[in-house]
Amino acid sequence: MRSLILRRLLGALTLTLAAIAFTFSAAPAASASEPDGSIGRGEVMDRGWSWVAEQVPYSQSGCYRNQFGCYRPDCSGFVSMAWHLGSSLTTWALWNVTSEIPAEDLQPGDALLRDSGGTDHVALFVRWADAAHTQPVVRETYDFGHVAEERVWGNGLRGFSPRRYNRLDDLMPYGSIRVKYDSMGGLGSVLGPPVRGERDSQLGGRFQQFQNGIIIWHPDAAYAIHGEILSKFWATDAERRWGFPTMDEADASSAPDGTRGRYQFFERGLFLWSERTGTHPVHGEIYKAFHDAGHEKALGYPLTDEMDEAGGKAQKFQKVTIHWNPAKGTWITDN
């Protein structure tokens, strides 16, 4: 107990001297945050990656300077740099600027922290390496002779506490979703402001919810879903049923009666909407027949979802009904 108290007193003294000795250099214009201020996950991850890319060697003294400032190149100095803290905190001081979160809510830019049982260490969480969420991928500086690196903890959390920096802005878009959001006009876009932080989707991608829609990413492209198409997508089991979008919503063709609407393709279906007909997905063999017959320009917009009928399926459109069964395939009848 006495050794622990002495160690923490020495750590506090080291931190005080460090604050005097280390000259903080403000981040460049590309960095949106201020020291000890609110910071988004994207900036945290960019700052953390800088030390990995530059292979910063571990040390418990001095500081490493790059465009993001000058910080002590040990585990807590690394996390202090990534979070744009005003100085290099010690491992135990990081408890005071973070809050505990459930392990299942760990997101990029959060931390794994421990100073018990002979272990004093902190690492920046990146993602899970496995579907069961037992092996975190982290960025860290962890011992003499090593450089900052990204690696998998194959032996799990090992008593480390999941922590979130108190000034971390969970709502700020980042990565591919941020690029997409900005390209649509950001706050001034049809999506409006973010209302939830980016999270894992059901099938391995990522999504973020905004006031009027979502942006969903997988694996290399991000697309927006909003309005009535989003409502139908959510009501019919979302990406678990339809897969991910392969395009943004766009204008559909005019139907024979002049109806105009919008459409969006997903991996396993087409969603069509018009004010007259509502939103309905078209998929499978019925979609193939719809496509071959000329889409909404020839057959009109769908009036129903696919329905069961004797021995097969059917879907009603403005001008026709498309039928399918495994014995006969697809055929079209007039309404």
Side-chain angles (χ1 to χ4, degrees), residues 12 14 29 54 89 92 150 157 208 251 269-270:
T14 300
E54 293 163 21
L89 298 188
W92 47 88
E150 180 175 306
L157 297 186
Q208 184 163 5
D251 287 332
L270 164 68

Side-chain angles (χ1 to χ4, degrees), residues 2-12 92 115-116 120:
R2 289 177 61 189
S3 62
L4 176 61
I5 294 172
L6 179 59
R7 178 162 55 87
R8 294 196 174 188
L9 286 173
L10 288 173
W92 47 88
D115 67 354
S116 63
D120 290 306

Side-chain angles (χ1 to χ4, degrees), residues 28-45:
S31 176
S33 67
E34 296 292 334
D36 292 323
S38 179
I39 187 170
R41 294 189 185 278
E43 186 179 347
V44 171
M45 300 309 289

Side-chain angles (χ1 to χ4, degrees), residues 32-147:
S33 67
E34 296 292 334
D36 292 323
S38 179
I39 187 170
R41 294 189 185 278
E43 186 179 347
V44 171
M45 300 309 289
D46 286 347
R47 292 172 68 93
W49 179 253
S50 72
W51 278 24
V52 176
E54 293 163 21
Q55 297 191 306
V56 177
Y58 179 92
S59 176
Q60 292 181 343
S61 62
C63 75
Y64 179 81
R65 181 185 299 277
N66 68 3
Q67 74 270 31
F68 296 123
C70 197
Y71 291 85
R72 188 180 59 249
D74 61 5
C75 65
S76 56
F78 170 70
V79 172
S80 297
M81 180 275 300
W83 287 344
H84 201 173
L85 302 185
S87 62
S88 300
L89 298 188
T90 58
T91 305
W92 47 88
L94 289 174
W95 295 96
N96 300 324
V97 297
T98 61
S99 301
E100 186 174 6
I101 58 173
E104 58 267 24
D105 194 33
L106 275 165
Q107 300 297 324
D110 292 331
L112 294 168
L113 177 61
R114 181 176 175 183
D115 67 354
S116 63
T119 299
D120 290 306
H121 187 55
V122 64
L124 200 67
F125 180 81
V126 177
R127 63 184 179 276
W128 294 104
D130 61 326
H133 289 187
T134 61
Q135 298 179 8
V137 179
V138 300
R139 291 176 186 166
E140 60 181 341
T141 62
Y142 60 93
D143 202 357
F144 292 100
H146 295 269
V147 297

Side-chain angles (χ1 to χ4, degrees), residues 154-215:
N155 50 358
L157 297 186
R158 298 170 292 129
F160 279 76
S161 173
R163 310 289 295 184
R164 180 162 295 159
Y165 175 44
N166 292 335
R167 301 301 307 276
L168 192 144
D169 184 351
D170 187 48
L171 295 183
M172 188 181 295
Y174 65 97
S176 296
I177 289 178
R178 175 62 181 269
V179 171
K180 182 65 178 180
Y181 185 56
D182 287 348
S183 75
M184 295 177 65
L187 290 172
S189 72
V190 65
L191 296 177
V195 297
R196 184 183 180 191
E198 182 178 315
R199 294 294 186 269
D200 289 334
S201 73
Q202 300 176 57
L203 296 177
R206 301 277 289 176
F207 79 100
Q208 184 163 5
Q209 186 176 348
F210 299 82
Q211 187 176 63
N212 303 314
I214 66 171
I215 295 177

Side-chain angles (χ1 to χ4, degrees), residues 203 216 218 225 233 237-246 266-269:
L203 296 177
I216 191 165
H218 180 273
I225 317 174
F233 179 69
D237 211 18
E239 67 269 27
R240 283 187 293 192
R241 182 172 182 183
W242 304 111
F244 292 89
T246 58
F266 294 79
E267 290 174 310
R268 293 191 289 275

